[in-house]
Amino acid sequence: MYMMAHRGISGHRPENTMASFREAVKQKVDCIELDVRLTKDGVPVVCHDATIRRTSNGKGFIHQLTLKELKKYDFGSWFSEEYKGERIPTFEEVLELVKDESINLNIETKNGPVIPEDLEAKTLDLVYRYHMQERVMYSSFDHFSLKRLYKLDSSAKVGFVFHMNLINLFDYIENTGVPTFSIHPNHFYITDEMIQEAHKRGIKVNAYTVNNRGWADKYRHMGVDGLITNYPAEMK
Ligand code: G3P
Ligand code: MG
């Protein structure tokens, strides 16, 4: 099964930091899942939440802080003193880390409370500048973001993330007009029928966030294609 390290090896390292991504490279996982947002000065950075309160010693919204301001904060100590001094990574720093490694990226575009219309263009631009277009896929809970990505790059591999149990999921996806590479359901909602229907249409199913070995085995037997997990080594 294809293993995606959720926010890097976030079970053992502070999430979405270079320490977390370096460990993913070291463990030779198939893919790193990371969350990309725009700073006040329009730089794509890697952070899950809209604010930095939970994962740093600072506070405030990412979209209201410049990169220079964000770089002052410590994104490691909240997890463990061992990682004190970790800084928020720019998306470009992550591309620099992985460009010569055999590892793929699942780039999750994040927005809210504001929805910057240029997040997708800036992200794509960096991916192409680093010649990573064959090694990345894009995913989002914001399906308008996926539409923007597809409009900008019709060859982009796109994955629909959803945390609700949708009725007529495949009709919904088809109606978006975005060719779908994969679906990323909250793993609780995965059924045999969902997997069969996805595979019939040539769509992969990647389950998030699976951190329990029993569940991992269950999904493996069901035919789920990939796991998004904080513990890729333990889920193998
Ligand atoms: O790729 C989806 C996975 O990341 C789950 O969502 O909230 O952890 O970004 P989240
Ligand atoms: Mg994510």
Side-chain angles (χ1 to χ4, degrees), residues 6-7 33 35 48 106 108 110 139 141 161 208-209 228:
H6 181 234
R7 313 179 195 172
E33 187 271 353
D35 305 293
H48 178 271
N106 168 5
E108 186 184 341
K110 284 272 194 226
S139 63
F141 285 103
V161 193
Y208 85 87
T209 306
I228 301 168

Side-chain angles (χ1 to χ4, degrees), residues 10-225:
S10 59
H12 300 292
R13 300 288 184 276
E15 66 180 58
N16 282 329
T17 61
M18 294 307 281
S20 188
F21 301 139
R22 273 195 298 270
E23 182 60 20
V25 169
K26 195 170 148 205
Q27 290 190 14
K28 298 187 189 305
V29 299
D30 299 309
C31 180
I32 292 171
E33 187 271 353
L34 50 79
D35 305 293
V36 177
R37 296 181 170 277
L38 284 190
T39 64
K40 185 180 177 182
D41 46 342
V43 182
V45 289
V46 182
C47 190
H48 178 271
D49 298 0
T51 78
I52 61 170
R53 182 184 282 274
R54 181 178 61 85
T55 57
S56 82
N57 60 350
K59 58 181 185 192
F61 284 98
I62 300 232
H63 75 278
Q64 291 176 338
L65 293 162
T66 63
L67 178 63
K68 196 171 167 202
E69 286 164 340
L70 283 163
K71 281 285 189 186
K72 287 193 281 202
Y73 298 112
D74 173 359
F75 280 74
S77 297
W78 70 274
F79 186 83
S80 152
E81 271 305 294
E82 203 184 324
Y83 300 104
K84 187 179 174 158
E86 282 293 326
R87 303 289 143 181
I88 191 169
T90 62
F91 178 49
E92 185 163 8
E93 285 165 346
V94 182
L95 291 170
E96 194 63 53
L97 172 75
V98 302
K99 67 174 194 228
D100 297 322
E101 307 287 343
S102 56
I103 194 165
N104 295 332
L105 294 181
N106 168 5
I107 303 160
E108 186 184 341
T109 52
K110 284 272 194 226
N111 53 37
V114 293
I115 302 179
E117 298 270 321
D118 52 350
L119 169 64
E120 294 78 18
K122 287 186 163 167
T123 304
L124 274 166
D125 180 56
L126 280 167
V127 165
Y128 272 87
R129 262 204 269 152
Y130 278 79
H131 308 290
M132 285 285 293
Q133 59 274 17
E134 303 292 326
R135 291 167 52 197
V136 306
M137 66 159 302
Y138 304 90
S139 63
S140 194
F141 285 103
D142 178 0
H143 302 166
F144 283 95
S145 172
L146 298 177
K147 244 185 137 102
R148 280 193 289 277
L149 276 160
Y150 173 64
K151 218 170 151 192
L152 290 163
D153 180 2
S154 61
S155 69
K157 286 191 226 153
V158 163
F160 284 79
V161 193
F162 51 95
H163 61 75
M164 64 289 226
N165 205 1
L166 288 168
I167 295 170
N168 295 333
L169 166 65
F170 293 96
D171 291 344
Y172 167 79
I173 285 172
E174 210 169 294
N175 281 335
T176 65
V178 181
T180 307
F181 177 71
S182 56
I183 53 171
H184 300 188
N186 180 314
H187 68 96
F188 294 126
Y189 298 139
I190 294 176
T191 60
D192 290 322
E193 294 69 37
M194 184 193 282
I195 297 167
Q196 279 161 20
E197 192 60 36
H199 288 172
K200 207 164 78 189
R201 294 164 187 252
I203 296 171
K204 291 186 188 302
V205 180
N206 297 317
Y208 85 87
T209 306
V210 181
N211 292 327
N212 171 290
R213 185 58 199 253
W215 283 330
D217 288 341
K218 177 182 159 190
Y219 298 131
R220 188 175 285 114
H221 286 123
M222 283 171 77
V224 165
D225 299 281

